[in-house]
Amino acid sequence: MLLGILKETAPGETRVALLPESLKSLLAQGITIAVESGAGMSAGASDSAYSEAGAAIAASRATLLAEADVLPMVNAPNPADQAHLKPGAVVIGFLKPLDAPQALAAAIARSATLFSMELVPRISRAQSMDALSSMATVAGYKAVILAADRLPRLFPMLMTAAGTIPPARVFVIGAGVAGLQAIATARRLGAVVEAYDVRAAAGEQVRSLGAKFLDVDLGGISAEGGGGYAAELSEEALDRGRDLITKTAAHSDVIITTAQVPGRPAPRLIRKAAIEAMRPGSVLVDLAAPAGGNCELTQPGIEQILNGVTLLAPLNLPAEVPIHASQLYARNILNFLALILKKGELTIDLADEVLAGACMAHNGAPVNPRVAKLLQTDNAPAGSLAC
Ligand code: NAD
């Protein structure tokens, strides 16, 4: 049984799927581990650290792809890599199952078993494998740090002999995993924080972090979807949120926006008028940019200055904190591997709801029904949907 650790090839990617510290329990099962040279370098892990931990350094990427039985990755393998996969290999990672399942057609044709970390069910038993939450936590933190760096003001209130500086005012939209971490980080830096979410249940968590929760009367519409997620709202209900956001934007120095609805493009909540209402020098970080963005002026991946307001739309903030993002991700991967590697042998039991939920394809055919449906549709959406 050979487990391979590849160097990620996506532009700007700095994370690695497993770190040297992750290998002990796998090696103890008698699994052989090989690493592509340089795989962990940008996450602080040198080839020699992997060697000292008991892994071999692979002769080349192509041999590793051709020989590995299990490949934990951060991002999906590209088509050229897929063509080299060992038939029947297991690939685990953020595979974008609902954005671009067709991009994995070559791997499916080689009968690879594909497990998508985005599809791991959010049930108690699988919490330790919830890589979406791990990465959202890192992104929420980093978004505030970015905003604080760009803001031409201080975050904390300062009382000095030269006078008093008021605290920065931060507005967080979407109080899920990333939003709550953004609130906690902004509070630690001394900001006054307000937050808005359509799910009323988020209010208590927001208040427990010392922030003010802004309620919107949705006229009796339920905003709760399944599993703690939000439901997709009507335009009328969205408008009530948009009005509150425009009003709150006028006195906010920083907006961090994180609102998402699983499997749908991000809701457009921030109108051009809200940006125009912000003071010059203010900063907006749109964490929903990978799903299109919460602001109607967002251009994913592009930084803009509009009427003096800085609008950031980062596509991969966890990659800007590679050591801790990789540590958390590696722990999620290790916990997932424990479901399929028993005493060094590969055992894939698709009767297990976690494995069945996360499995995109097995034995040359799609498993997850949503993925199967998208693969059947020639015009399946590309690059616009979040999971
Ligand atoms: P997410 O990334 O899908 O969405 C982020 C936030 O945006 C959510 O809080 C959502 O309510 C909010 N949102 C959506 N539409 C909005 C709108 N129109 N206006 C304002 N806000 C809007 O969600 P997430 O952060 O991944 O998770 C959301 C919730 O799921 C968590 O708070 C938690 O309750 C639950 N959760 C459960 C588990 C588990 O059981 N293992 C794990 C993670 C999260």
Side-chain angles (χ1 to χ4, degrees):
M1 167 71 50
L2 176 68
L3 182 144
I5 303 171
L6 291 167
K7 185 171 164 56
E8 296 292 321
T9 55
E13 188 55 79
T14 54
R15 293 167 292 175
V16 64
L18 287 175
L19 288 162
E21 68 196 31
S22 326
L23 309 187
K24 205 170 164 186
S25 62
L26 297 169
L27 292 164
Q29 292 181 49
I31 295 167
T32 306
I33 300 176
V35 183
E36 181 180 358
S37 180
M41 197 50 97
S42 47
S46 62
D47 287 356
S48 56
Y50 280 106
S51 299
E52 279 160 30
I57 305 303
S60 70
R61 183 178 182 87
T63 47
L64 191 53
L65 282 163
E67 290 170 11
D69 300 291
V70 181
L71 283 164
M73 304 182 72
V74 178
N75 302 295
N78 60 44
D81 284 346
Q82 291 173 45
H84 287 105
L85 284 176
K86 180 173 176 176
V90 176
V91 179
I92 308 161
F94 285 124
L95 304 184
K96 301 195 170 162
L98 304 182
D99 288 17
Q102 317 87 324
L104 285 155
I108 296 173
R110 290 182 81 77
S111 296
T113 298
L114 304 176
F115 287 113
S116 150
M117 292 306 277
E118 296 98 323
L119 293 177
V120 169
R122 283 180 140 179
I123 55 174
S124 306
R125 185 165 72 85
Q127 262 180 353
S128 63
M129 306 160 209
D130 185 354
L132 280 183
S133 287
S134 300
M135 296 305 108
T137 300
V138 175
Y141 161 86
K142 188 67 182 179
V144 174
I145 301 301
L146 267 187
D149 184 46
R150 295 304 177 83
L151 190 71
R153 294 170 172 272
L154 298 167
F155 255 49
M157 182 174 91
L158 290 187
M159 295 171 85
T160 79
T164 300
I165 303 270
R169 299 195 65 136
V170 174
F171 180 28
V172 175
I173 302 168
V177 181
L180 290 172
Q181 186 55 234
I183 294 169
T185 305
R187 292 283 300 136
R188 282 184 209 117
L189 288 178
V192 169
V193 183
E194 294 175 299
Y196 164 62
D197 197 296
V198 273
R199 291 179 303 110
E204 199 180 316
Q205 289 168 303
V206 166
R207 284 187 286 271
S208 74
L209 291 170
K212 182 177 174 192
F213 187 67
L214 305 177
D215 248 329
V216 170
D217 177 6
L218 293 178
I221 299 167
S222 169
E224 305 273 347
Y229 287 112
E232 194 172 24
L233 299 185
S234 65
E235 275 303 306
E236 188 201 333
L238 284 173
D239 265 342
R240 296 187 185 204
R242 290 177 182 127
D243 291 343
L244 170 98
I245 289 166
T246 304
K247 203 170 123 210
T248 311
H251 62 249
S252 299
D253 299 305
V254 169
I255 298 180
I256 310 283
T257 183
T258 74
Q260 303 230 31
V261 176
R264 305 293 311 148
R268 286 289 162 103
L269 296 171
I270 305 175
R271 299 181 181 121
K272 185 168 175 253
I275 302 286
E276 286 167 354
M278 293 179 85
R279 285 177 294 191
S282 307
V283 180
L284 188 153
V285 184
D286 193 342
L287 278 188
N294 289 145
C295 176
E296 65 183 22
L297 300 178
T298 288
Q299 294 181 37
I302 294 180
E303 193 175 317
Q304 305 177 72
I305 297 186
L306 305 163
N307 293 335
V309 175
T310 301
L311 170 48
L312 305 175
L315 293 174
N316 188 0
L317 273 190
E320 295 188 25
V321 195
I323 293 182
H324 280 142
S326 300
Q327 265 181 21
L328 294 172
Y329 186 66
R331 286 177 202 155
N332 295 139
I333 287 281
L334 265 188
N335 290 321
F336 188 87
L337 285 173
L339 298 181
I340 59 167
L341 290 172
K342 307 267 159 68
K343 296 186 180 156
E345 296 294 327
L346 200 54
T347 48
I348 297 174
D349 174 10
L350 290 182
D352 180 321
E353 68 172 314
V354 176
L355 294 181
C359 191
M360 277 182 76
H362 184 54
N363 288 339
V367 172
N368 182 289
R370 287 189 292 168
V371 174
K373 202 168 162 202
L374 285 172
L375 283 168
Q376 277 164 6
T377 314
D378 282 339
N379 298 323
S384 60
L385 300 182
C387 295

